Amino acid sequence: MRLTIAASILSVLIAPSHSFKYTSAPSLSPSTLLKYPSQHTAYRTAYTSLHVSATPVEEKDAPATESVTIPPPISQHHLQSKEDVDKLSFRDLQKECKSRELPANGSTAVLRKRLQEAVGLEFQNPSVNISEELESALNGDEEGEEVEEKVAEAKVSREFQTLCNEVHQRAAAGHWKTATRRLKKLKKLSFNEYTAAAETDDAAVPSTIPEDVYLAVLRSCLADRSSGARASQPARKVLEEMVEAGYVVPADLGRSAVINCLGNGPGGTHDECGGIDVALAMISALERQTGRNEEDDGMLTQVIASYEAVVIALGKDGDVEECVEMLGMMVIDKGMTPLLGTFAQVAQSVSKCNKDGTKGELVLQVLSYAKMAGYELDSIAHAEAGRTLLACGVIVAEGMDNLALGLRLLTAARKSEDPSSTDKCDTLVCSSSSAAQRASTLIHKRSIDRAIADDNWKLAVKILELMAPR
């Protein structure tokens, strides 16, 4: 009897309040969990441990998950912040201005200001830093007037002269980094003091930096090939500020600044410093001062030499379309006459990129620009650069199967005479490279075959006679 009562009590204690059958939770793959997060939650709640109530959870309709749209990357036509504008290179700034039908000329700071104003961003000049005391002084507050009275003109003038002397000392010692920092501090002091004077004659320092200070910093930056192009950006800023202040950049310094910032790396850089964009910004600054003194031809000379350096750098970088376009802009738009060697190097760069035969037209454009610049094809073969240019034309003519053009270029070379060589210039053109020799041979061979096919044996014999020495 006692055993029966104990068994009944034990069964009551052990029996659950309701029937429950445990089954293992179904296995869910990661993709299923991501796709149906609500079902995953339901499974986790229904098949939990005994510490949680084992009452089954009613499955409700899973709310529709909102699709997360990833914003597209900022395109070149959608600038959202000042940082986006500051990251653009000089050529990108010009392209953005042109796409918005804005003028694309001016310095880097001018292009950034113009672009920021166009997209509705407030422009802030990084070189300008007006303190709160000076702002209150401009607004006529009492605190500003007190601060303005405390700043003695003699102290400001002495500080300005001290900074000028320190810039000269650092520049003479070759410390271009320290010299540029002192120049930046000098600009802030000059601007703040001149602004505090509210366009009166009470300014203790001049409104612009003296020219000799700029030249000292520029010469320091350009030493040792701009310190391996590391000083290219400071040199570019000094050039732009000198032109904006109305000073004239010496011809030798302007040309050296452009050439020193160009290298053989990607984008014309040298150890990731300088580059084509920096060079173009310098050229833009140099061009704005060419009309100030018409008697000085040195400025125009330095601009032409700078453009030639950039064109050659573009060709080496593989951007042959822009290279040829800039060469045409120099000849047609600006009326410049580049050196014959510039045309030859551009043609060589295009020929190297013409492996698929799609860029042959660019070489013909280079020949046309050379003729428009005043070079006669019948007389340029006496120079090595002229023979290189004609050889590139012969190679392209063979690739385009333009036999008449190839023979015409070789005939033009034959009319020239090189006093330093006993060989004919057409022979020198054909033997200038293995590619030129192969192209010349194929042109003569195909021309003879076509002459025979046309039953013109006299032309075939004449071409055969010219083929032997070539």
Side-chain angles (χ1 to χ4, degrees), residues 20 22-23 41-49 53-57 59:
F20 176 77
Y22 179 79
T23 57
T41 306
Y43 283 126
R44 183 184 59 189
T45 306
Y47 303 101
T48 182
S49 63
S53 175
T55 304
V57 178
E59 294 187 4

Side-chain angles (χ1 to χ4, degrees), residues 308 311-312 315-316 320 323-324 327 331 338-353 362-371 373 375 377 380-381 383-393 395-396 432:
E308 290 176 342
V311 166
I312 294 174
K316 291 181 179 179
V320 292
C323 171
V324 176
L327 184 63
V331 176
L339 296 175
L340 187 59
T342 303
F343 292 100
Q345 293 192 45
V346 172
Q348 279 185 322
S349 300
V350 177
S351 298
K352 291 179 181 179
C353 298
L362 296 178
V363 177
L364 302 184
Q365 290 185 18
V366 175
L367 290 170
S368 301
Y369 293 150
K371 191 172 182 179
Y375 294 104
L377 299 181
I380 63 174
E384 184 177 358
R387 294 194 292 269
T388 302
L389 179 60
L390 292 176
C392 293
I395 295 172
V396 171
S432 59

Side-chain angles (χ1 to χ4, degrees), residues 105 168 212-214 251-252 269 304 320 322 362 365 388 401 464:
N105 55 343
H168 280 287
D212 58 339
V213 176
Y214 277 121
D252 56 338
T269 58
I304 294 176
V320 292
E322 188 173 356
L362 296 178
Q365 290 185 18
T388 302
D401 200 24
L464 182 59

Side-chain angles (χ1 to χ4, degrees), residues 261-324:
C261 69
L262 296 173
N264 297 324
T269 58
H270 179 76
D271 291 340
E272 299 182 357
C273 298
I276 297 172
D277 291 292
V278 181
L280 288 175
M282 291 180 179
I283 293 175
S284 177
L286 294 175
E287 280 186 320
R288 294 197 300 274
Q289 70 171 5
T290 53
R292 296 178 182 174
N293 188 2
E294 297 180 356
E295 296 179 358
D296 189 7
D297 295 334
M299 297 179 189
L300 182 59
T301 303
Q302 71 175 353
V303 171
I304 294 176
S306 303
Y307 265 117
E308 290 176 342
V310 173
V311 166
I312 294 174
L314 282 171
K316 291 181 179 179
D317 192 44
D319 196 353
V320 292
E321 289 84 358
E322 188 173 356
C323 171
V324 176

